[in-house]
Amino acid sequence: MKSSYYLNVLRGRTQELPDVRSRVVRVFVSSTFTGSFTRLFFRSSHICSLIDTLAERDSLIENIFPKLKDYCREQYGLEFQYADMRWGIQIESANNHGEVATCLKEIELCKKYSVATNFVVLLSHRYGSRPIPAKIHAPLFELLEQTARDEQNGIHDGDLLSQWYKIDTNCIPHAYILQNISLLIPNFISKDTNEVKQANEQWKKVSEQLRTCFRRAAELCLQRGQISESDYDEFFISITEKEIVNGILGAKDANERTLCFLRDIVDIRDHLSDSKAAKYIDMSSSSTIDEDAEKLLERLKTVRIPNALKSSNIYKYQVRWSPDGITRQRHSEYLEQFNDDFYRSMKEQIDRCAQARLKIAPDELQHEVLEHAIQCKTYVSKFHGRTDVLSKLEKYINIKNEGRPCVVHGESGCGKTSVLAKTATEVFKWWPKRSVSVVLRFLGTTPTSSTIYKTLLSISRQICEIYSISMTAYPTVNQLRDQLELNIFPQIPDNEYLLILLDSIDQLQTDAYNCKWLPLQFPFNVKCIVSTLPDHGDILENLKELLWENDRPFVVVPPFEPATVEAVYNDWLAMKHRSLSDEQRLFIKNFMNKRNEILPLFMKLVFDIISVWRSYDTIDEHLNYLRDVDDCIRYLFQHLQVIHHPLLFSRALCYMTACRSGISQNELEDVLSLDDDVLKSVFQHYIPPVRRLPGILWTRIRNDLDEYITEKEVDDAPVIYWYHRRFIEVARELYVSNLNAVDRLAVFQNMVDLFKETWKGKNKPFKIDDPKLVHKYKLDQSDGEIQANRFTTSQPIEFIDSDGHIQYNKRKLNELPQFLSKLAPDISLPIAAAEVLFNYSFMHAKFGVSPFVDIIQDIEQFENQSNFKVIETVLEILKEMKYLSTAYLICGHLLNEYRDNYAFELTGRFATVYGLKTNLTNLIQQCDEQSPRHCALIVPYSQLQPPGNGLLYSLNKHTTPVVDIDFVNGESAAITLSNKVVVINMRNGDAVIDVNLPKIDEPYLNSTTFSSAVSTDDNKKSSELISSDNSQTDDSNSEDENRFKQYMFLTNSAHNIYLVSNHGDVKFHRKSTRRFLLVDVVSFKQGICIFAEEGTNSVECWHLGQNKLFAKLDLETKSSLKQVFCFRGSRFILTVVLHDGTILFYILKGSQFENLATIDAGPHLDTVYPDKDHLICTFDANTPIDFAYIDMKVIRASSEVLTENQINTTLVKFDPPITTKPYHQIIIPKNRSHHKGMSMELFFMIITKGALYIVHICSDQEISYVCIPGECHTAAISASSPHIVFAARQGIMNIYKWRCVATKDEDVKNKADIHHGYQLFVTIDISSSAILTIAPSKDSAGLFLCSLENGAINAYHSFAAKDAAKKIPPFPRTTEVIHSLQLYGKIAVTLDKSKRELASWSYEHFTAIESRHLFPGTIIIDHYAVLSDTAVAIITNTHFVEVYGLNSLNKSALCRFNLSCPSQVFAIDDKTFVLLSNNGSLRYMQHNKHKVNQTATKQLNIKCVKLFSSVITFNSQRTLIVLADDQCSLAICTTDEILYTNINLPSSFVSKVTSDPTQNYLIFYLENKSLISCRIESSSKPSCQLIPFGNADLYDVKKNCLSRILHDENQLYIHNLNSKTSHESIQLENTCELICVNESGDYVFAMVKPHILYMYRVKDRRQLARLFVYDRVTTMVATNDFIVMGMNDRRLLTLLIADPDDPELKTKIQALPSRQLKRDSHSAARKLVEQMDAFEDMSSDDNASDLDENENDKDDSGPNIYAVKQTKAPTTSYRFVHRLNCKFTTSKMKIDQFARTRFCDNPQGEAVTDDSDVDADDNNDVIIEKASLVPETHNLDEIREKTIEHERQRIKGVQLANANTTNPTIINDYSVTSSTCALQ
């Protein structure tokens, strides 16, 4: 049950807020100071001796803290930080006495942020420094001063106090402030070292006098009872005790988060005279112990600390004195014990705290809510005024019928955040007496609120927790938004009120700027307020478009007026307990009055300047020059530079700003420690004990910047960054952009060194330039150079967390490339090549954490450096980078999902160039060495398409089949359709629009795009609605993507129609229980749509915006609708085709349909295709014509009803005809125009079962066709280049050229003989996934896009692919898909799916088909066996036995004879085949060299018609085992004898018998899917031992390993047949398709959907590989070293088994021929390199459209598939008729010139018909009889390419999701913005 506190937190009602959430362990290390801070600094040459715990702390820094950093990060994802404030104090810090305050503040920060240990104290015999207070309350100071004056010599003491302390009346209550030392001793900050030393000595005397004066006065006042003990302690206790009081004694959880380490030097009092003793114990003189300090220390160690801490938190050590003090050399044993105790105790506390933090389940949400609540409290505490803005928000809150969100906007710094914070508290007053909850997010301030997905998920969970609503954590933003709108909001009770506040949308990632994630309507009891900048990322404009109604709820936050400032400042000063003098107030008033409008941020920055003014400070007149926020920031930075040292401050801000989104504290301290310039500037007077920046220096800077920086999580790490955008811009301008070349190199090189671990665990040279220091530290011989460890934090690429999972160092992966790219290319590129781009570990991890687009951008940053003049080695790196980039374009999106494929993809593409390209070779070597720990499968040689094969890029915006692509905006963008609509910017691959369509259980088929919102205006006259507005999208070349943001999409499936806005809102929905035949748009401007359903006789027009019926057509006919489509243009015409062959034409007048004409086409009409102003009609096979052409112009122009006789129709018949009917598709190009030598008036393509026909009008005005034989499933042709044709079959793209050739016929005078030539230009093996759509470029003949069944969209350059085909050899393939595969030594034997082609392959070191045999006709292979690698015996379906040489399958058989009955063949040794026939006969054949001899024939005495048999090892010999048909006995057929044994199998019939020939058992697979092993014991009387092993859907057995799969459970079971034991089952992710065990039985391979190969080691069941295979695997077999797969693309894929624990693995890889570094200069590798280089320099060759006759001259051993094919044009005959449903006579078809000219000049045949078509006595007429009709599927579009597919001839291999007999598979070859969709 939820506690009331927890609910109050979630509801936004909490009053007591805890500390902020954090991901750091931040520990303050306290130890003793000696003397004053100034001595600590200025006597720094002996600083090591001034700190008695130096040995311990140095040991921690070197040995323990690095281990704790790694432990925290790897175990809990936490960052370990330590604060050691005991060294590195600078002059300025000592000068203003701010050290104590800095230390105490750091303790508070550690307590606030640390999630575990926050304070550790190291104590020995020193009590520590006791400086005089820097600030004393006025009454106390005045009392002490007066007391001092009253004493003897008191006047002098009192004057001294008055001289050094001044009253600050701006402090409330008033206080006396110790003045800066330099005010009274100017040389204290001198640049001269000697002067500084003298000043320091002078200050020592003064401070000692002041201390003595205060202590005497305090003693007297305490005795008189005038002051308290706490006041007294201020002048006596040490800094260390103050730290302990704050860190331990005042902590509530001290025992959980603090530790104490006490060191006792047992004999130190015996050595007080030693020179170094005073450095380890407090002395009042050279030989006397300081008793006061000793008493205070003893009280601390024995009373105060033990009273606060348990004994388990206190560690005590005893050591003995040495003349050198406590040193590592003399006290190593003690230090080792100390280190162990420290590490163990810290680790224990971290474990307890971190685990307790992780156990609290709801805390993640609670912490997120509290984080924003804490920020809200901070903002509200500083809030002032804004009553006008708040009143507007109150008004919005109380408008009950306002469901839209309210948008608050204003300039940067105007106070929007404070307004929303105040609203979160005021809403409880605005909604009085109501149950109110507030959900508040200050976006971008926490990791969860930095992305819109995480934000929506978080607020959804918060709302559901508040109201006990169940929810689903959907993976997409749109789904979360829909869940909020449709499920969560409606369940909020009516009596509950909710306010959602989202501040600063502009702080989200850019993908949220379109605001589509924002619900646009809320219930009456839910209000939402968002805020944003007005001019950032078009956010405000997007919101205005979304909230497009009038009177939009927008509220502007204006700047402040000057009159408001004084009141605000008074409030803020009061909160800080500060005030201003009258003079200062007047100055600020005048300063503000000079400005008309004042931004709150400006006001805040000015306040931060004046709030630290003391009453006695002079006013800085430079303030008058501050005009805006940026001026204030610059002033602030300049002021802090003076305080903290210019170089240190500027570099710190530079590093923080240069990182993408901030830098972690450890990173910043590390990089500053690597920065030699910083260290030299900080340590001007001495060399520090550790060459590392003292933590106190950054801590002081951070404290002064505390209100301007924020801590958030980036890349899974806590980082610090600027809280406001203006700080980012100013800091970038001052400290990054203005770096000179030298400093720029130093800064970015240091960041690179940090992340690449250049100096991790190493000594980095530190050069001392000051001659005095060189002499002082005796560095003359090394020329002032010191080798010193900087102790930087480790930056591994990956590490293992506490759960054993790999975690990646995202900081390194994201920051290292960007900093490298900032360096000069000669420096950066060699490092980038070694550490990033060609580094396996880095890129494998990078693909695991970064989107593919980010990786390409990283590469582009380096490529852009090529503009510089670079050396030759860098040019080579750039070239190889381009190869890599091109490869990533091919496989990058895949690697994002399957990063373990990295080695497979890269090695598979680049193995050929191993040894030729240095960096690629190094990358492959790393893949070989390192990838087995991720995926234990190595690519032995190149087996994937390399870059340069024509692929330009691959887009992966869809995850389901893309059924449509359409270019818009001059091909600068493409609209694509799958289960969502994605508008892709083709210039950069970004998704301009990404709309998830409503989830349905069938595929979407078509989408029509509206370029603007659909109107809801119903005042338009009906006559105005049906206007000519054909263009639904603006196809201009404008690059303004804003036009897309107004798009709406009318999408449909077979049973659903949706109108969806560009942000996914459903504006209209219509559902059909039948199926839609037509979905078309009548008017884009008014949103009129027309629908027709299958099985009905009606057509409806609907107004989408108003969701009401506009018009309806009801047909009074018995025949139902078959096709419906529309013609638009000057007149809208509806065409209806009925199943009885009737074609009806209607016009829409007003809201009524009027009939224009009717054509009776007869029952043999197949399909009607609309083509601009014509109809193309096709008929079934009973009709002798190829198609009919109907003129639509007559119908369109007519104002009266036409009869059939008034409509012109032309019949066209070819000889030879187009075969076969029915046609699969007719494809009509869009935007047709006339081209030289041909007319495009009539031009389309016909796809039939066996060919592609291009129908066109030849140059001599003859209609004709080009026939390109071969099966294709889809095709395309660009109207701009009609002589290039794209035809796709599965994943193969064939590109053809064709032409018409007119030659003179010598036999017939003046007669032209027409020939057609066509040529296969190039074949591109695009993918294993089927190609669904093809979109050729309008501007370039060689460019095209194609969408694939897997959702990918590829862009290709066909001319580059052609060049690649000449240089890159194709992969060997079989004719049909491989069905079975067997391995014999180094030879693989495959049998294809048709069982007609047997092929032998080499597979280990390269893939090649050595020989193949293709059986003719109907002969297929029933069974075959292979003798080692010498011969193969085949049994055909005609019962012939044929034996071939394994490497000469294409030659004659070695022997051939007929067995006359079904048989099987087996190989039982290296030379012997045994033939088993179903009549029980056994024949033995021996193969000897090139001869085959039959050696013996035997007869079994059992029936074996079923031929259940297999080979095992029996008595150490391979033996054939035959199971009797009755399943009661086995025949054991050795070469010498036949033995029989009984067997007792279960009653279920055996369906399969298998075995491992090397073992002595069989595996019986029964019809009930159970498995039984049968071990056959060798003896004179053999016996069988049966063991059941459960059920299986798939199984395999090798050696003693049996593996089986159960589909219902998706479980893999592994059994040991020898021991009869079973391993624990393995749960698979999905359905397993194939399984195999390797030859040794050590590894199991499972192919799991979708194409994922898993590899498991049998002995420990460890998963060694998870590899996504590029295509479906049909069969697979594994040897000891290789797994070989038969692929769906008809080739073999071979992988080397690479167990990372195999000691011989390295030797195996090095033995691969592909891993040899030597390369022949004329090898195929050289040609590949040439092609990759040529591809990078590729330019389009759009003029290369003619046929290449040179291809005919190639002298290849095989057929030349690229040769020009010449075919004679068909004879074309015409007939002009008025009726289609009549007797046709082929004798009346005319082929004369008149008919040809009449049609080709005017394909409509105007006013010319042949009336003989009505003659009834023509005996040659073909009588059309009634025939059965099959419904067809149609898609229409008058302005672009249209594709129509017959349902009965669906595209082979293309299966859309959920397609079945009631849900059609429809593939379209037209644009998404089609205006028509005719479905069936």
Side-chain angles (χ1 to χ4, degrees), residues 403-510:
R404 295 170 297 170
C406 177
V407 179
V408 175
H409 62 95
E411 294 182 29
S412 178
C414 70
K416 301 180 295 298
T417 299
S418 296
V419 166
L420 263 67
K422 188 66 172 177
T423 301
T425 59
E426 291 296 300
V427 69
F428 296 98
K429 302 175 184 176
W430 298 344
W431 274 338
K433 300 180 181 179
R434 293 180 180 176
S435 178
V436 179
S437 298
V438 176
V439 173
L440 172 64
R441 296 293 185 274
F442 296 104
L443 301 176
T445 60
T446 65
T448 303
S449 66
S450 297
T451 69
I452 190 55
Y453 173 79
K454 291 182 179 179
T455 299
L456 287 182
L457 184 62
S458 175
I459 65 175
S460 296
R461 285 175 171 163
Q462 184 176 350
I463 295 170
C464 290
E465 281 288 311
I466 294 171
Y467 302 111
S468 301
I469 300 172
S470 61
M471 63 165 286
T472 302
Y474 288 113
T476 68
V477 170
N478 286 346
Q479 288 174 309
L480 291 176
R481 179 204 60 203
D482 293 344
Q483 180 175 234
L484 277 168
E485 284 188 298
L486 305 177
N487 182 41
I488 296 178
F489 289 155
Q491 293 190 62
I492 297 176
D494 291 346
N495 61 344
E496 291 283 347
Y497 288 78
L498 173 66
L499 175 62
I500 302 173
L501 297 165
L502 303 177
D503 175 61
S504 299
I505 297 176
D506 48 277
Q507 293 295 328
L508 291 169
Q509 294 181 1
T510 55

Side-chain angles (χ1 to χ4, degrees), residues 633 637 640-641 647-659 663 668 672 698 701 705 709 721-722 727 731-732 734-736:
I633 297 174
F637 287 168
L640 293 178
Q641 276 186 199
L647 186 62
L648 169 64
F649 183 84
S650 62
R651 286 289 172 89
L653 268 59
C654 174
Y655 289 123
M656 183 171 72
T657 309
C659 290
I663 190 169
L668 184 54
L672 288 172
W698 163 245
I701 296 175
L705 291 173
I709 58 178
Y721 202 47
W722 302 109
F727 280 87
R732 184 176 291 124
L734 293 177
Y735 303 118
V736 181

Side-chain angles (χ1 to χ4, degrees), residues 1780-1797:
L1780 283 176
N1781 188 16
C1782 65
K1783 300 176 182 178
F1784 288 155
T1785 173
T1786 57
S1787 63
K1788 292 187 178 183
M1789 302 294 288
K1790 298 178 180 180
I1791 61 173
D1792 57 82
Q1793 181 66 33
F1794 174 74
R1796 181 168 60 249
T1797 303

Side-chain angles (χ1 to χ4, degrees), residues 1628-1856:
L1628 301 178
E1629 290 184 3
N1630 208 334
T1631 303
C1632 182
E1633 297 175 316
L1634 295 170
I1635 187 174
C1636 80
V1637 183
N1638 83 314
E1639 190 176 3
S1640 62
D1642 294 324
Y1643 307 102
V1644 177
F1645 298 88
M1647 183 60 64
V1648 176
K1649 290 183 179 179
H1651 319 324
I1652 301 178
L1653 178 64
Y1654 287 85
M1655 172 183 171
Y1656 298 96
R1657 188 162 55 198
V1658 172
K1659 66 180 181 181
D1660 56 6
R1661 298 172 54 259
R1662 175 185 167 189
Q1663 178 184 307
L1664 296 182
R1666 181 179 184 267
L1667 181 74
F1668 181 86
V1669 185
Y1670 66 87
D1671 199 355
R1672 185 171 63 87
V1673 177
T1674 57
T1675 181
M1676 61 183 183
V1677 181
T1679 65
N1680 287 337
D1681 296 325
F1682 296 93
I1683 177 171
V1684 184
M1685 291 165 278
M1687 307 303 296
N1688 186 55
D1689 63 355
R1690 315 184 312 284
R1691 62 190 184 97
L1692 294 184
L1693 177 64
T1694 302
L1695 298 173
L1696 175 69
I1697 298 173
D1699 189 332
D1701 297 330
D1702 181 1
E1704 301 297 322
L1705 177 59
K1706 185 176 181 180
T1707 303
K1708 291 179 182 178
I1709 296 174
Q1710 292 176 343
L1712 295 171
S1714 64
R1715 301 309 196 266
Q1716 306 308 308
L1717 292 175
K1718 294 182 179 180
R1719 281 282 189 255
D1720 183 0
S1721 61
H1722 300 288
S1723 66
R1726 294 285 183 186
K1727 293 182 180 180
L1728 173 57
V1729 171
E1730 292 172 5
Q1731 175 56 29
M1732 290 193 298
D1733 289 339
F1735 183 68
E1736 296 301 331
D1737 299 328
M1738 174 197 65
S1739 61
S1740 179
D1741 184 10
D1742 290 350
N1743 295 320
S1745 59
D1746 203 1
L1747 305 185
D1748 186 0
E1749 301 292 351
N1750 293 328
E1751 295 284 356
N1752 294 334
D1753 300 330
K1754 290 188 176 180
D1755 184 19
D1756 295 334
S1757 57
N1760 184 7
I1761 61 173
Y1762 295 107
V1764 176
K1765 311 294 192 303
Q1766 294 281 354
T1767 62
K1768 189 173 182 179
T1771 301
T1772 309
S1773 55
Y1774 309 85
R1775 188 176 182 186
F1776 304 99
V1777 300
H1778 285 303
R1779 294 193 317 169
L1780 283 176
N1781 188 16
C1782 65
K1783 300 176 182 178
F1784 288 155
T1785 173
T1786 57
S1787 63
K1788 292 187 178 183
M1789 302 294 288
K1790 298 178 180 180
I1791 61 173
D1792 57 82
Q1793 181 66 33
F1794 174 74
R1796 181 168 60 249
T1797 303
R1798 186 168 64 180
F1799 178 80
C1800 293
D1801 287 345
N1802 183 15
Q1804 291 77 37
E1806 292 182 2
V1808 283
T1809 58
D1810 187 351
D1811 290 334
S1812 63
D1813 63 321
V1814 298
D1815 293 344
D1817 57 352
D1818 191 340
N1819 294 328
N1820 293 327
D1821 282 354
V1822 179
I1823 306 300
I1824 301 176
E1825 298 178 355
K1826 205 73 175 178
S1828 61
L1829 296 175
V1830 179
E1832 310 296 347
T1833 300
H1834 309 275
N1835 281 289
L1836 313 172
D1837 190 336
E1838 65 181 67
I1839 65 170
R1840 51 181 166 61
E1841 185 174 326
K1842 301 176 279 275
T1843 300
I1844 300 177
E1845 178 188 21
H1846 287 259
E1847 186 175 357
R1848 60 183 166 198
Q1849 295 292 342
R1850 296 180 183 178
I1851 290 178
K1852 181 180 179 182
V1854 180
Q1855 299 177 349
L1856 303 185

Side-chain angles (χ1 to χ4, degrees), residues 295-476:
K295 289 179 181 178
L296 291 170
L297 177 62
E298 189 68 15
R299 183 187 68 165
L300 189 61
K301 293 167 63 174
T302 60
V303 179
R304 302 197 76 181
I305 293 177
N307 287 345
L309 287 183
K310 296 177 181 178
S311 59
S312 58
N313 288 56
I314 302 174
Y315 292 81
K316 298 180 180 180
Y317 307 92
Q318 290 186 337
V319 297
R320 302 194 70 82
W321 176 255
S322 73
D324 296 326
I326 305 300
T327 65
R328 298 193 197 184
Q329 293 77 20
R330 296 179 179 271
H331 298 87
S332 57
E333 185 176 342
Y334 151 67
L335 289 175
E336 183 178 352
Q337 182 64 49
F338 167 76
N339 285 344
D340 290 344
D341 291 342
F342 191 99
Y343 180 76
R344 187 183 65 257
S345 58
M346 284 287 298
K347 181 174 171 294
E348 289 174 355
Q349 284 197 353
I350 291 169
D351 287 340
R352 284 196 298 269
C353 294
Q355 290 170 7
R357 177 173 175 263
L358 295 173
K359 285 180 182 178
I360 308 175
D363 273 309
E364 190 64 29
L365 175 61
Q366 184 175 343
H367 283 322
E368 177 71 9
V369 174
L370 285 172
E371 180 70 20
H372 295 283
I374 292 167
Q375 294 184 58
C376 178
K377 183 178 180 180
T378 302
Y379 286 121
V380 170
S381 66
K382 300 176 182 179
F383 186 85
H384 191 279
R386 296 301 190 188
T387 56
D388 55 337
V389 177
L390 292 176
S391 63
K392 292 178 182 178
L393 294 178
E394 181 181 8
K395 180 180 178 182
Y396 161 78
I397 290 288
N398 286 293
I399 300 176
K400 187 173 183 179
N401 58 356
E402 177 56 86
R404 295 170 297 170
C406 177
V407 179
V408 175
H409 62 95
E411 294 182 29
S412 178
C414 70
K416 301 180 295 298
T417 299
S418 296
V419 166
L420 263 67
K422 188 66 172 177
T423 301
T425 59
E426 291 296 300
V427 69
F428 296 98
K429 302 175 184 176
W430 298 344
W431 274 338
K433 300 180 181 179
R434 293 180 180 176
S435 178
V436 179
S437 298
V438 176
V439 173
L440 172 64
R441 296 293 185 274
F442 296 104
L443 301 176
T445 60
T446 65
T448 303
S449 66
S450 297
T451 69
I452 190 55
Y453 173 79
K454 291 182 179 179
T455 299
L456 287 182
L457 184 62
S458 175
I459 65 175
S460 296
R461 285 175 171 163
Q462 184 176 350
I463 295 170
C464 290
E465 281 288 311
I466 294 171
Y467 302 111
S468 301
I469 300 172
S470 61
M471 63 165 286
T472 302
Y474 288 113
T476 68

Side-chain angles (χ1 to χ4, degrees), residues 207-363:
S207 62
E208 185 62 32
Q209 291 174 354
L210 291 170
R211 183 182 302 107
T212 303
C213 178
F214 277 129
R215 288 183 180 177
R216 284 203 304 263
E219 288 276 7
L220 291 173
C221 290
L222 181 64
Q223 293 173 5
R224 298 169 183 170
Q226 294 173 308
I227 63 173
S228 66
E229 289 191 5
S230 62
D231 290 336
Y232 173 84
D233 283 347
E234 282 296 310
F235 305 96
F236 287 88
I237 67 173
S238 66
I239 299 176
T240 302
E241 183 161 0
K242 290 181 180 179
E243 291 172 350
I244 293 171
V245 168
N246 283 268
I248 297 178
L249 307 184
K252 297 179 181 179
D253 52 359
N255 284 296
E256 288 75 36
R257 297 174 184 268
T258 65
L259 294 167
C260 176
F261 294 85
L262 303 178
R263 183 193 67 203
D264 181 19
I265 306 175
V266 294
D267 56 347
I268 191 171
R269 289 173 176 77
D270 300 332
H271 301 277
L272 295 179
S273 60
D274 286 4
S275 61
K276 292 189 177 181
K279 300 167 186 176
Y280 291 88
I281 190 168
D282 292 306
M283 307 280 287
S284 59
S285 66
S286 60
S287 60
T288 307
I289 296 175
D290 186 336
E291 294 183 0
D292 289 342
E294 187 174 44
K295 289 179 181 178
L296 291 170
L297 177 62
E298 189 68 15
R299 183 187 68 165
L300 189 61
K301 293 167 63 174
T302 60
V303 179
R304 302 197 76 181
I305 293 177
N307 287 345
L309 287 183
K310 296 177 181 178
S311 59
S312 58
N313 288 56
I314 302 174
Y315 292 81
K316 298 180 180 180
Y317 307 92
Q318 290 186 337
V319 297
R320 302 194 70 82
W321 176 255
S322 73
D324 296 326
I326 305 300
T327 65
R328 298 193 197 184
Q329 293 77 20
R330 296 179 179 271
H331 298 87
S332 57
E333 185 176 342
Y334 151 67
L335 289 175
E336 183 178 352
Q337 182 64 49
F338 167 76
N339 285 344
D340 290 344
D341 291 342
F342 191 99
Y343 180 76
R344 187 183 65 257
S345 58
M346 284 287 298
K347 181 174 171 294
E348 289 174 355
Q349 284 197 353
I350 291 169
D351 287 340
R352 284 196 298 269
C353 294
Q355 290 170 7
R357 177 173 175 263
L358 295 173
K359 285 180 182 178
I360 308 175
D363 273 309

Side-chain angles (χ1 to χ4, degrees), residues 1525-1537:
D1525 290 346
D1526 61 6
Q1527 301 184 182
C1528 293
S1529 61
L1530 291 174
I1532 304 171
C1533 309
T1534 67
T1535 54
D1536 301 323
E1537 60 180 336

Side-chain angles (χ1 to χ4, degrees), residues 903-919:
F904 171 78
E905 294 289 339
L906 272 294
T907 307
R909 298 182 194 280
F910 290 113
T912 304
V913 301
Y914 187 93
L916 288 180
K917 294 295 179 182
T918 303
N919 295 289

